[in-house]
Amino acid sequence: MGANQIGLKVRLAINTGTVETPVWSKLEKETTLTLTLTADEIEALNKDSGVFKEYVKTFLSAEVSFAAQQSIVPQTGFFNYADMFELYTETLTNAAKGVRQIKVFSTDIGSDSIAFSGFVKSLNMPSATADLITYDGSIRITTLPVLTPVAA
């Protein structure tokens, strides 16, 4: 996805509908979008290891970091800062614990869409200019991401 333009061709969308009937709402404009997939590891040394450290891969984790901009007057049809803040505060109050279906996607043929469930882990206070609000945050992925190629 690195060759695509963030905010134009690579987008972040959050399901504001239900699992059965998803309604994908995009941020108005992403300025940065980073998907980080990591694996924990433990040292697996034994008497036969010698001088070279050996490791075993254990648990996987993933996170999306983003920065976004929106118009001072929120545009309809987009997921804005107020929506993101509401999702952040939902984390402990609703039955799903704030977890939503989320995807990072591109409409370019030959690229991939990555879908997962996650919750807003961090959300920084927005800053504003005369016409834009800028904010950033991160989403902790709680399910194994599913990679789907964009078909013709």
Side-chain angles (χ1 to χ4, degrees):
M1 284 193 181
N4 292 317
Q5 295 175 309
I6 302 297
L8 295 174
K9 299 203 176 208
V10 178
R11 304 299 308 262
L12 176 68
I14 298 170
N15 181 7
T16 56
T18 64
V19 173
E20 297 78 24
T21 311
V23 176
W24 294 103
S25 298
K26 298 178 285 216
L27 300 182
E28 190 171 330
K29 180 181 179 187
E30 299 87 339
T31 56
T32 62
L33 188 61
T34 304
L35 173 63
T36 304
L37 306 170
T38 59
D40 291 343
E41 59 187 34
I42 57 172
E43 283 188 33
L45 300 176
N46 61 45
K47 64 181 181 175
D48 297 322
S49 296
V51 297
F52 192 78
K53 286 187 174 183
E54 295 178 18
Y55 295 93
V56 175
K57 182 166 82 172
T58 60
F59 298 104
L60 304 176
S61 62
E63 188 169 303
V64 173
S65 299
F66 65 90
Q69 293 179 330
Q70 71 181 57
S71 304
I72 288 289
V73 178
Q75 304 297 304
T76 58
F78 291 104
F79 204 79
N80 60 41
Y81 180 81
D83 298 324
M84 194 66 78
F85 185 80
E86 183 179 330
L87 184 55
Y88 171 76
T89 60
E90 266 185 13
T91 302
L92 297 176
T93 58
N94 73 351
K97 303 291 186 249
V99 173
R100 295 284 181 98
Q101 290 176 304
I102 301 169
K103 66 181 176 179
V104 175
F105 70 97
S106 171
T107 55
D108 283 353
I109 295 169
S111 63
D112 300 305
S113 172
I114 302 171
F116 48 86
S117 292
F119 61 86
V120 177
K121 177 182 170 184
S122 68
L123 186 62
N124 295 319
M125 287 295 294
S127 61
T129 63
D131 56 348
L132 286 176
I133 294 173
T134 302
Y135 62 98
D136 60 82
S138 65
I139 297 170
R140 169 63 71 192
I141 298 173
T142 59
T143 59
L144 191 62
V146 176
L147 190 66
T148 307
V150 176

